[in-house]
Amino acid sequence: MDSVVNIPVRSNTRRSPSPELLALLQGRFAERFSTSKVVLLQHGTDESTYPPQPPDAVVFVRSTEDAAFVVRACARERVPVIGFGVGSSVEGHLLAVEGGVCVDFSQMDKVLAIRPGDLTATVEAGVTRGQLNAALQGTGFFFSVDPGADASIGGMVATAASGTNTVRYGTMRDNLVSLTVITAEGEIVRTASRARKSSAGYNLTQLYCGSEGTLGLITEATVRLHPHPETYAAAVVHFPSVRAAVGCVIESIQMGVPLARAELLDALTIRAVNAHSRTALGEHPTLFLEFGGSQGQVDEQAAVVREIAGGHGGGDLQWARLPEERSRLWTPRHHAYFACLQLKAGCRSLSTDACVPLSALAQCIEETQADIAEHGLLAPVLGHVGDGNFHCLVLVDPGSAQENEAAEAFSHRLVQRALRHGGTSTGEHGVGLHKMKYLVDEHGEHGVALMRAVKKALDPHDIFNPGKVVALAEG
Ligand SMILES: Cc1cc2nc3c(=O)[nH]c(=O)nc-3n(C[C@H](O)[C@H](O)[C@H](O)COP(=O)(O)OP(=O)(O)OC[C@H]3O[C@@H](n4cnc5c(N)ncnc54)[C@H](O)[C@@H]3O)c2cc1C
């Protein structure tokens, strides 16, 4: 098993750009080209526990043509090309394990079109979800996918991201209409029309969604928008057990309550947020809920959930309707990640991402909590329970090989447990480097062979983010 301190550095296969290639890129991009150590380090670092792996150069692109130019130039020397959004990914996705040129999309930050009539918007890949929602203010519409971090739309497409809104509005996959991508030959391809549906050929849009930069660069995306509900209400309610809290969410969904958000924090996470946000929530498994609709619909949804929560032994629901009250009520959930990091001075978190069928969720979390206790780990648990997805933040001293290995061993057991329950190693973070070893367990030899065939067909010289997802060199 890999250790978090032993990143699979394949320096024997490092494919650095020649001085001529670097000069070509510098000539075209001038101050938008960098080989500064600080810039390289920033672009070879993500939110995982892996140590940095910097690329050889970084280019800040401003157009699809810029990105195509970089790909064509690098393809001639078979130098790796790694897309970069805001660097918030957590599984080693960005690390330049074979060197190469990092393409930073932060300057492709234009919202190109907002079409209320179609309920879509077209954006450049570097636009963040926050920037898109700011541009949508006053239109009555919003972009729903919310992975917590203010990630780029390109990065969110590349990782098939999701988050707290998914229970109602779906993942990035459900909110995509079409993409503009750059192929390994440097060709510019639009993956689909803007029609709401199509049966015309293979679904290239979904092929690139979740490809983690290994099939091509994404330069533009057309995404779905949703109308803001007339009103929202938020609620917080604690339960005697995780099983009871999960049961409440499942029964609410079965009753057709269109929950806008349903987040579970376990007792340890509540202790962390109490210390961080100066709240005084009871240290029990707790649901953070949000409802949206007309006034009457919200009242109705709330009444149904109150009754269901009572049936599962839930405490009194704390309610908030006004925007500032809702935001105050949800603050502990929004700060949970950073609050948990403060449970252990100087720690880093190895974040797990198991996702299982809803019916197996309570059992899987209970088994996982027993595992945490048995091995003496410090690992708060929080989850998007309406999707069957939960994260354990295993807090480790980055300098302790023993703690890192214990965290890795736990993560391994958790993945195997999720697979046994009919689930997946990763509900939303993606494969990166860290989950590669589980793809065969999840998809079988033939499934992974098909994926490798797709990679080979689209990127025969393995220039796009090599060494990730289904690494060709290892296949
Ligand atoms: C505190 C915290 C909470 C998080 N919570 C969630 C969550 O709830 N749900 C969730 O889904 N994720 C979550 N994440 C993970 C992360 O935010 C997502 O994976 C996000 O989608 C990454 O976007 P990014 O812009 O940071 O991409 P990056 O990290 O920059 O890149 C991610 C991957 O996409 C590729 N890529 C980026 N841009 C492009 C492009 N234009 N073309 C081709 N490839 C590209 C990169 O090469 C890399 O492989 C969380 C992260 C943090 C730090």
Side-chain angles (χ1 to χ4, degrees):
M1 183 189 310
D2 296 343
S3 152
V4 278
V5 278
N6 290 326
I7 182 173
V9 181
R10 302 190 306 169
S11 49
N12 56 333
T13 54
R14 197 165 177 99
R15 293 182 271 161
S16 293
S18 68
E20 293 75 27
L21 175 51
L22 293 176
L24 179 73
L25 295 174
Q26 179 151 42
R28 162 135 181 169
F29 293 102
E31 77 287 352
R32 292 190 285 123
F33 168 87
S34 180
T35 53
S36 129
K37 274 210 171 92
V38 177
V39 174
L40 297 184
L41 186 64
Q42 184 214 340
H43 287 81
T45 308
D46 65 2
E47 294 288 333
S48 71
T49 47
Y50 287 124
Q53 282 279 289
D56 295 289
V58 178
V59 173
F60 295 84
V61 292
R62 285 198 185 142
S63 66
T64 295
E65 289 69 29
D66 275 355
F69 181 91
V70 178
V71 172
R72 280 197 294 271
C74 289
R76 281 197 286 274
E77 292 189 5
R78 301 187 181 174
V79 163
V81 177
I82 304 166
F84 186 99
V86 306
S88 70
S89 45
V90 289
E91 300 284 1
H93 294 78
L94 288 166
L95 307 189
V97 293
E98 298 187 22
V101 175
C102 178
V103 177
D104 182 310
F105 283 92
S106 60
Q107 296 184 22
M108 283 191 73
D109 59 355
K110 287 196 270 307
V111 175
L112 299 171
I114 294 172
R115 305 181 197 85
D118 294 337
L119 281 78
T120 66
T122 299
V123 298
E124 291 184 331
V127 169
T128 68
R129 66 175 184 85
Q131 287 169 341
L132 175 55
N133 276 320
L136 289 168
Q137 270 195 2
T139 64
F141 295 93
F142 73 107
F143 172 67
S144 63
V145 186
D146 175 3
D150 192 16
S152 70
I153 303 291
M156 290 166 65
V157 173
T159 57
S162 56
T164 55
N165 279 322
T166 303
V167 62
R168 175 144 178 194
Y169 296 104
T171 70
M172 197 66 232
R173 288 196 188 279
D174 305 308
N175 284 280
L176 257 188
V177 178
S178 87
L179 297 171
T180 301
V181 299
I182 312 290
T183 69
E185 293 75 36
E187 302 296 342
I188 299 169
V189 172
R190 193 193 64 176
T191 59
S193 73
R194 287 197 285 107
R196 280 185 77 77
K197 61 182 194 177
S198 169
S199 297
Y202 298 141
N203 193 332
L204 298 179
T205 312
Q206 292 297 334
L207 185 58
Y208 281 91
C209 184
S211 64
E212 303 184 14
T214 63
L215 299 181
L217 293 180
I218 297 155
T219 60
E220 291 179 12
T222 297
V223 296
R224 293 190 198 286
L225 305 177
H226 299 275
H228 276 296
E230 179 189 315
T231 188
Y232 288 98
V236 170
V237 53
H238 65 254
F239 289 85
S241 65
V242 163
R243 184 171 287 274
V246 171
C248 173
V249 173
I250 294 176
E251 199 178 327
S252 301
I253 293 171
Q254 285 171 335
M255 293 293 287
V257 178
L259 295 169
R261 299 179 202 238
E263 297 287 301
L264 171 73
L265 274 58
D266 78 345
L268 179 56
T269 309
I270 295 292
R271 183 185 310 165
V273 297
N274 277 341
H276 179 271
S277 303
R278 298 188 196 293
T279 45
L281 297 165
E283 288 182 17
H284 310 285
T286 301
L287 286 180
F288 286 71
L289 302 168
E290 192 174 88
F291 308 92
S294 68
Q295 194 69 51
Q297 287 167 334
V298 167
D299 288 345
E300 201 179 309
Q301 292 167 29
V304 173
V305 172
R306 176 178 282 122
E307 197 178 323
I308 294 172
H312 288 271
D316 281 345
L317 270 72
Q318 290 182 51
W319 281 99
R321 285 184 179 276
L322 296 174
E324 58 277 17
E325 285 176 6
R326 288 201 325 262
S327 148
R328 186 184 47 74
L329 201 61
W330 264 73
T331 297
R333 170 60 188 94
H334 291 311
H335 293 175
Y337 176 73
F338 295 102
C340 289
L341 290 183
Q342 289 182 6
L343 284 171
K344 183 178 164 97
C347 72
R348 293 210 71 181
S349 150
L350 186 146
S351 303
T352 66
D353 187 30
C355 188
V356 295
L358 279 184
S359 57
L361 181 62
Q363 182 73 21
C364 190
I365 297 180
E366 281 177 356
E367 289 169 9
T368 301
Q369 287 184 316
D371 186 341
I372 290 169
E374 185 187 336
H375 290 87
L377 300 169
L378 187 60
V381 177
L382 57 162
H384 313 303
V385 279
D387 313 329
N389 187 199
F390 66 99
H391 307 299
C392 306
L393 308 180
V394 193
L395 305 181
V396 292
D397 170 355
S400 163
Q402 197 188 353
E403 286 189 17
N404 283 313
E405 269 157 33
E408 265 304 326
F410 166 77
S411 167
H412 178 76
R413 291 191 298 274
L414 174 49
V415 169
Q416 299 302 334
R417 185 176 305 126
L419 297 180
R420 274 197 306 277
H421 281 293
T424 171
S425 64
T426 173
E428 58 185 19
H429 292 165
V431 174
L433 284 170
H434 194 219
K435 298 287 175 3
M436 287 172 67
K437 53 187 177 276
Y438 302 117
L439 277 193
V440 170
D441 289 347
E442 188 163 337
H443 296 286
E445 296 282 357
H446 296 305
V448 174
L450 268 185
M451 291 187 196
R452 201 166 272 134
V454 170
K455 166 75 175 170
K456 271 188 184 148
L458 269 64
D459 183 18
H461 300 302
D462 195 18
I463 62 167
F464 288 123
N465 204 8
K468 317 290 166 55
V469 189
V470 283
L472 290 188
E474 287 167 2

